[in-house]
Amino acid sequence: MSSSLTPDPSSISPSSHARKPGLFIVLEGIDGTGKSTQARRLGDWFASRGRDVVLSYEPTDGPWGRKLRESAATGRLSPEEELQYFLNDRRQHVEQKIAPALAAGKVVILDRYYFSTMAYQGARGFDPAEIRRINEAFAPVPDLLLILDLDVNTAHQRIGHRGDSTNEFEKRESLERCREIFLSLKDEPFARVIDSNGPLDDVTAQIQAIVEIACPAS
Ligand code: TYD
């Protein structure tokens, strides 16, 4: 019978049409830009379109991420240790969560990723290009990087800092450098800069418009 000789396309490659490919979106920016809120909203938006969403963040709640958070309270790690802990944390995150979710066709949305290591550990003296190279040896490059951009003064006010002590001044200097490093990524084909000065809903609208264009199959 000819029908039994005609290959059923679904038996050749069930995964190629049975589900949409995974989609990997990362939100980055200095503290106060509203990344976490926008990441949640973007996750809800994809879920409302019937996509399976994995929303995650770095540092994670895994052992290395916990050590990093503890160190913020108990005294800072050396810059070398700190960088190593972020890399260890990310390696586990990629292996245990990010790669499996993408392989299963899910939408993975991250609040911070290796661009934060470039920016923050870059501001502590490491070479951002070298940090990028080390990360991209094991961490997948996202389909879309949303850089939420805001000037440091406004970001600082939003998170409740007055910025009038020496310590605050140093922090600001370092955040200026982080912002510069984030913005240095703006010409990457997968990156988009989002002006985050406006109200949350405006930022959400900008992000949705970009995602509709950059990820048309979403
Ligand atoms: P985050 O969890 O976003 O801040 P919060 O605790 O306010 O929710 O991130 C914690 C800090 O870690 C933040 O200041 C940025 C920093 N960080 C790095 O220095 N390097 C990295 O690679 C990452 C992912 C975060």
Side-chain angles (χ1 to χ4, degrees):
M1 273 191 357
S2 66
S3 63
S4 66
L5 295 173
T6 309
D8 169 3
S10 67
S11 69
I12 298 170
S13 178
S15 62
S16 65
H17 78 290
R19 64 178 179 235
K20 292 183 175 179
L23 188 59
F24 188 15
I25 303 182
V26 172
L27 286 90
E28 292 278 12
I30 57 174
D31 305 287
T33 50
K35 275 177 304 84
S36 309
T37 304
Q38 298 301 340
R40 267 198 313 277
R41 288 184 172 191
L42 189 58
D44 291 346
W45 187 75
F46 274 107
S48 75
R49 278 163 171 69
R51 294 296 304 255
D52 249 337
V53 176
V54 170
L55 189 60
S56 194
Y57 50 84
E58 293 188 1
T60 70
D61 291 327
W64 297 103
R66 278 203 306 275
K67 285 188 219 283
L68 281 159
R69 287 181 206 283
E70 278 162 22
S71 81
T74 60
R76 298 195 79 176
L77 298 163
S78 73
E80 289 75 17
E81 283 173 318
E82 186 187 59
L83 174 60
Q84 194 54 54
Y85 284 24
F86 276 115
L87 292 171
N88 295 348
D89 187 44
R90 181 158 309 119
R91 207 177 281 278
Q92 284 196 334
H93 199 198
V94 168
E95 282 171 9
Q96 294 172 6
K97 203 168 193 177
I98 299 171
L102 290 173
K106 297 182 182 173
V107 177
V108 176
I109 299 174
L110 293 194
D111 177 353
R112 295 197 186 283
Y113 193 39
Y114 65 84
F115 310 98
S116 276
T117 323
M118 290 172 66
Y120 286 83
Q121 279 59 58
R124 294 196 83 186
F126 293 98
D127 174 14
E130 174 70 359
I131 293 176
R132 181 176 182 176
R133 195 189 56 72
I134 293 168
N135 276 277
E136 288 181 355
F138 70 89
V141 176
D143 297 298
L144 186 60
L145 164 63
L146 300 168
I147 302 165
L148 273 61
D149 184 53
L150 191 59
D151 69 88
V152 169
N153 283 341
T154 312
H156 240 185
Q157 277 161 14
R158 282 195 188 169
I159 54 179
H161 292 282
R162 285 173 52 220
D164 47 7
S165 67
T166 313
N167 186 26
E168 285 290 315
F169 179 75
E170 278 168 16
K171 260 199 215 154
R172 274 208 224 193
E173 296 267 283
S174 146
L175 284 178
E176 292 286 3
R177 178 74 188 121
C178 287
R179 183 185 182 203
E180 266 172 36
I181 297 171
F182 282 133
L183 289 177
S184 74
L185 291 157
K186 70 179 181 349
D187 294 326
E188 294 293 334
F190 55 85
R192 302 287 182 280
V193 177
I194 316 282
D195 175 359
S196 305
N197 269 288
L200 279 180
D201 288 350
D202 288 4
V203 178
T204 305
Q206 281 186 69
I207 290 176
Q208 285 179 2
I210 286 170
V211 170
E212 301 249 29
I213 293 167
C215 318
S218 61

